[in-house]
Amino acid sequence: MVKNIRTNSDWSASTPMLPAQGPRRLALYRSLRGLIESGQMKPGDKLPTTRDIAKRFGVSRGAAVAAYEMLVADGFAEARVGAGTYVAEAVPLLQAVPEPRVIEVQEVAAPLPGALGCSTADETTLRIFRMLMNRHLTQPSARHFHYNDPAGSHALRVEVAAYLKAARGVVCEPDQVIMTAGTQQGLDLAVRALLKPGDPVWIEDPCYAAARELFDGTGIAVTPVPVDGEGIDVASGIAARPDAKAVYVTPSHQYPLGVTLSMARRLALIDWARATGAYIIEDDYDSEFRFAGPPLSALQGIDGEGRVIYLGTFSKTLLPGFRFGYLVVPRHLRERVLTIRRLTDRFPSTLAEDALTEFLRDGHFSAHIKRARKRVKAARDALIEALRCDRLAVTVPEQGLHLVAELDGAEDDVALAAEARAVGFGVKALSPLYHGETKRRGLVIGFSGFAPDVLAQAARRFVSGLQGSPMRDAVDPDRQHLS
């Protein structure tokens, strides 16, 4: 019979290190036996010479010979005269090696018209960025070749601070700006810097799901505070949890309901934070898109005592794939936030920073916003027209990138959203965004990133099916009393 003979040239790559203490022959024997039993060394594989293995492991050749003799005696190896030592053809107690599990990698599907979180970049914007990125690739700065400031480049922070002062009324200097990979990272940095597990925090109810998940995932004690036509109800928050350490709010354009926090509520929120030493985390995610009335000032601009942490992003104005946002922090928190940033993400992309700096400094960003605002408004108007239906109550939003189509209290918005997606309309149900008892039902629909006709066609397909189907909440009749 011809024996199966193979030489495993890379056997040492999977050999564990020997323990520091104990007899060397036993340690080497157990190590090799484990590789054989697990199938990493297969029947017929040739073992290294005793001289080689002694040198590799720093043991005496006598210990290596003794270990091989033990393997042969126990049936795990066989010595062949003049040929060397091999893993035995029939290994006792050989463990079955499972077949490697094949994981199918699926491409992320393109978002359906009506989906949230889509950007509005146009060909002019993309052409300018191609030019800027190419310039910095062909004439790279020395700073691209070493580790940089975790806050981001000073030049970019100067431009961001100037923009926020002019456009949002934010009171800050460049040293208070920290560049992030979007608002979610900014929120994570703020939570890590301010809070510890068990700390009480207010959140809006309903609330942005990713923010709520972050608080829940870090062990924060969340108190949902209802939102009405004036925004978060500060009095309800104080009554429910006056000792909260922080509050997360979207005051300029509440997500998902779209209301604006009234001035009376803003002042009440700031007064509460000053009196208790709490912090306000202000997420100003899409305030650039305002279609009527004067621009709204940020809550941070009327604080004056360092109680507000301000979050913003370029994901909505430019494109999510760019991964740029910013955090504006009071100076007394800066080093704490930067320490966390340095330990988790080091620093932003210097190549993209340089391109974005020029885009802001040379006036391209303001021109882009004007073009984007026109496109978004046209898409909004087309969507509203296509949604006309006696079963949907749509309020025309004066700002932002989404609207809410409200339903009768007896409707099942989750089932309705699934039916919409089935016909190519990417809406989100409103009711799951509530933390406690659902107060309202509806569909949250985005109108950014899609041509008006594409968005309108998807909406009309949905409305056509909606008018032909009662879609009442037959699954959970106990929910029908909620309004």
Side-chain angles (χ1 to χ4, degrees):
M1 181 179 72
V2 178
K3 291 185 178 290
N4 179 25
I5 299 176
R6 290 190 307 277
T7 301
N8 186 349
S9 59
D10 194 31
W11 65 273
S12 61
S14 56
T15 303
M17 294 181 64
L18 301 185
Q21 304 297 325
R24 300 294 83 191
R25 61 185 180 84
L26 287 176
L28 185 58
Y29 164 76
R30 289 168 181 159
S31 173
L32 294 174
R33 174 175 169 168
L35 291 173
I36 295 170
E37 286 185 310
S38 67
Q40 293 179 68
M41 297 182 69
K42 302 182 184 305
D45 279 353
K46 185 176 181 179
L47 274 66
T49 66
T50 53
R51 183 178 289 105
D52 183 28
I53 204 166
K55 182 178 180 181
R56 287 173 184 255
F57 282 97
V59 299
S60 68
R61 190 179 177 193
V65 169
Y68 276 31
E69 289 176 346
M70 293 171 67
L71 288 171
V72 171
D74 289 346
F76 290 96
E78 55 186 43
R80 301 177 189 172
V81 179
T85 306
Y86 294 81
V87 177
E89 293 292 335
V91 177
L93 305 176
L94 181 64
Q95 298 175 9
V97 180
E99 290 292 324
R101 186 164 59 94
V102 177
I103 300 176
E104 294 185 5
V105 179
Q106 296 182 348
E107 292 292 329
V108 177
L112 297 173
L116 303 167
C118 299
S119 67
T120 61
D122 58 13
E123 184 51 42
T124 300
T125 297
L126 295 176
R127 175 179 54 78
I128 294 170
F129 267 115
R130 281 195 296 269
M131 176 189 69
L132 294 174
M133 293 290 281
N134 184 62
R135 178 189 302 168
H136 290 288
L137 278 171
T138 54
Q139 301 173 357
S141 167
R143 75 189 196 93
H144 299 331
F145 298 92
H146 59 82
Y147 290 90
N148 282 268
D149 191 337
S153 78
H154 178 73
L156 178 55
R157 289 185 283 117
V158 167
E159 297 302 324
V160 170
Y163 164 71
L164 292 177
K165 288 178 184 178
R168 303 294 304 119
V170 171
V171 179
C172 70
E173 298 301 326
D175 66 304
Q176 294 176 259
V177 177
I178 298 172
M179 302 307 300
T180 67
T183 52
Q184 193 70 13
Q185 185 187 41
L187 179 59
D188 181 61
L189 289 171
V191 169
R192 288 170 182 255
L194 296 176
L195 305 168
K196 61 182 183 297
D199 280 349
V201 169
W202 297 353
I203 64 168
E204 298 169 319
D205 194 23
C207 182
Y208 177 48
R212 189 178 76 190
E213 289 170 7
L214 189 151
F215 286 116
D216 289 341
T218 50
I220 303 301
V222 169
T223 296
V225 180
V227 173
D228 58 23
E230 294 186 66
I232 190 169
D233 187 343
V234 180
S236 293
I238 294 173
R241 198 71 196 250
D243 62 337
K245 302 294 185 183
V247 55
Y248 169 79
V249 288
T250 51
S252 295
H253 186 228
Q254 200 276 335
Y255 184 88
L257 297 180
V259 299
T260 300
L261 188 63
S262 68
M263 182 55 68
R265 294 274 179 90
R266 290 174 184 236
L267 296 176
L269 194 61
I270 290 173
D271 287 345
W272 165 78
R274 289 172 178 173
T276 63
Y279 285 93
I280 301 168
I281 302 174
E282 177 180 13
D283 186 349
D284 201 22
Y285 63 99
D286 68 357
S287 59
E288 289 85 357
F289 295 93
R290 185 161 180 81
F291 312 113
L296 302 169
S297 294
L299 191 62
Q300 191 269 1
I302 59 174
D303 168 26
E305 293 191 12
R307 307 316 306 173
V308 178
I309 296 172
Y310 181 86
L311 305 174
T313 182
F314 288 105
S315 294
K316 302 294 188 293
T317 52
L318 293 172
L319 59 159
F322 213 27
R323 304 312 305 137
F324 264 116
Y326 41 86
L327 188 64
V328 178
V329 299
R331 283 195 173 90
H332 64 273
L333 291 176
R334 183 177 187 273
E335 288 306 315
R336 192 186 312 174
V337 174
L338 286 181
T339 297
I340 299 168
R341 173 67 187 273
R342 185 166 49 246
L343 293 174
T344 56
D345 191 37
R346 298 302 292 263
F347 62 95
S349 163
T350 56
L351 178 63
E353 276 187 330
D354 284 356
L356 182 56
T357 300
E358 288 193 51
F359 194 77
L360 289 166
R361 186 175 58 212
D362 296 345
H364 299 303
F365 183 67
S366 59
H368 163 79
I369 289 296
K370 290 178 182 177
R371 295 192 303 270
R373 195 178 289 129
K374 289 180 181 178
R375 289 196 307 276
V376 168
K377 184 177 183 297
R380 180 204 66 174
D381 294 345
L383 174 64
I384 291 171
E385 181 63 30
L387 286 173
R388 291 188 183 280
C389 171
D390 58 3
R391 290 178 59 192
L392 299 175
V394 180
T395 301
V396 180
E398 293 186 349
Q399 75 173 68
L401 302 173
H402 75 273
L403 57 79
V404 176
E406 291 209 55
L407 303 167
D408 180 271
E411 301 269 16
D412 184 348
D413 56 355
V414 174
L416 202 57
E419 196 161 285
R421 290 190 294 270
V423 297
F425 193 37
V427 307
K428 181 185 288 290
L430 173 63
S431 63
L433 300 178
Y434 281 89
H435 189 278
E437 184 181 85
T438 301
K439 301 296 189 301
R440 296 158 71 175
R441 300 190 187 191
L443 303 174
V444 186
I445 310 171
F447 46 81
S448 171
F450 300 98
D453 59 334
V454 172
L455 194 58
Q457 288 172 12
R460 281 194 290 268
R461 285 195 302 270
F462 166 65
V463 169
S464 177
L466 183 65
Q467 290 175 325
S469 169
M471 280 301 297
R472 292 288 169 179
D473 187 355
V475 178
D476 188 357
D478 291 336
R479 295 171 59 186
Q480 293 186 14
H481 71 280
L482 300 176
S483 59

